[in-house]
Amino acid sequence: MRWSDQALKEMERVPFFIRKMVKRKVEEFTRQQGSDLVRPYHLEECRRRFMANQENEVRGYRLETCFGAKDCENRVLGPNTLVERLEEFLDKQDLQQFLRKRVKGPLKMHHEFRVSVSFCPNACSRPQIVDLGIIGAVRPAAISSECTFCNLCLDKCREGAIELPSHGKPLIDYEKCLFCGHCTSVCQPSVLEREKEGFRVMVGGKLGRHPQLAYELPGIFVQEQVLDIAEKVVDFYRRQCAGGERLGVLVNRVGIKEFYRFLGLPYGKK
């Protein structure tokens, strides 16, 4: 689908967190109008219809992913079914009806429970500012002392999390490491290898009048653990949500320690 220059400029005014959805809706409408070129009229007409019918557009949840689900060169994990299983789980929760009972007045987009999955630490789908954010992760480890001191891992690590001593194994600072796994991909002697593959999990991020970054849960979790956490997070949300509040508001109200206890995770552990 082609877009006119003016339509593209108008699109930039759309909030980024709904831009993908708006683009899809506008292109669908444009096709229905028998055109293959999006013009400002199509955007304005879609906006008018959306504002008049916003409540019916609210699904109860919104799940977004980055492009890494397919063939992004930065993707740190192989093929998996996490996104499909998350969507299946969220569909069964019927969060739309749940919100209709809890929210006074018409439902709006900001009432939706938001989930975002990124397959590398570049985090293109912005998992740090949604209710449940998930980032693909690889924990590197030095498994032998046969380092050739080629410095390739140092050059590859953008966080400066690796130190090469005068002899022995490379040292990894896990406080700095973002678990992208790039160092393991360039280590020719295989001194650095993937100790664990999985996902980092973040909860309680949001924008709005009082924005906050999500809390990161301690550890790297395999797919089944992520799904278990998702179930517990949604359960917590259902128990605590009184009027369509975002998860971050609920966590702050209850307290992060109590929230960790609800999830069965040790507070303060990294």
Side-chain angles (χ1 to χ4, degrees), residues 142-160:
I143 62 168
S144 79
S145 57
E146 298 178 1
C147 180
T148 61
F149 302 97
C150 65
N151 288 347
L152 287 177
C153 59
L154 296 184
D155 295 338
K156 198 68 172 178
C157 182
R158 294 162 59 181
E159 280 62 51

Side-chain angles (χ1 to χ4, degrees), residues 217-268:
L217 303 183
I220 293 177
F221 305 92
V222 297
Q223 178 170 298
E224 293 304 319
Q225 291 175 312
V226 174
L227 293 167
D228 180 63
I229 290 172
E231 289 187 19
K232 291 177 179 177
V233 167
V234 172
D235 184 22
F236 175 88
Y237 174 73
R238 283 180 171 277
R239 291 169 183 259
Q240 299 294 332
C241 180
E245 306 98 326
R246 296 295 298 275
L247 179 67
V249 174
L250 307 179
V251 172
N252 294 342
R253 186 170 69 207
V254 172
I256 186 64
K257 289 185 179 180
E258 184 61 31
F259 179 68
Y260 269 54
R261 189 176 296 114
F262 187 90
L263 297 183
L265 296 174
Y267 176 73

Side-chain angles (χ1 to χ4, degrees), residues 1 4 39 55 77 112-113 132 140 207 233 240-241 270:
M1 177 69 70
S4 71
R39 300 181 183 278
E55 186 169 19
L77 301 176
E112 290 187 315
F113 186 85
L132 177 61
L207 292 178
V233 167
Q240 299 294 332
C241 180
K270 294 185 178 180

Side-chain angles (χ1 to χ4, degrees), residues 29 33 40-50:
F29 174 72
Q33 296 295 303
Y41 156 76
H42 298 115
L43 273 166
E44 177 57 28
E45 183 61 17
C46 279
R47 186 196 68 79
R48 186 188 66 78
R49 295 186 181 194
F50 173 79

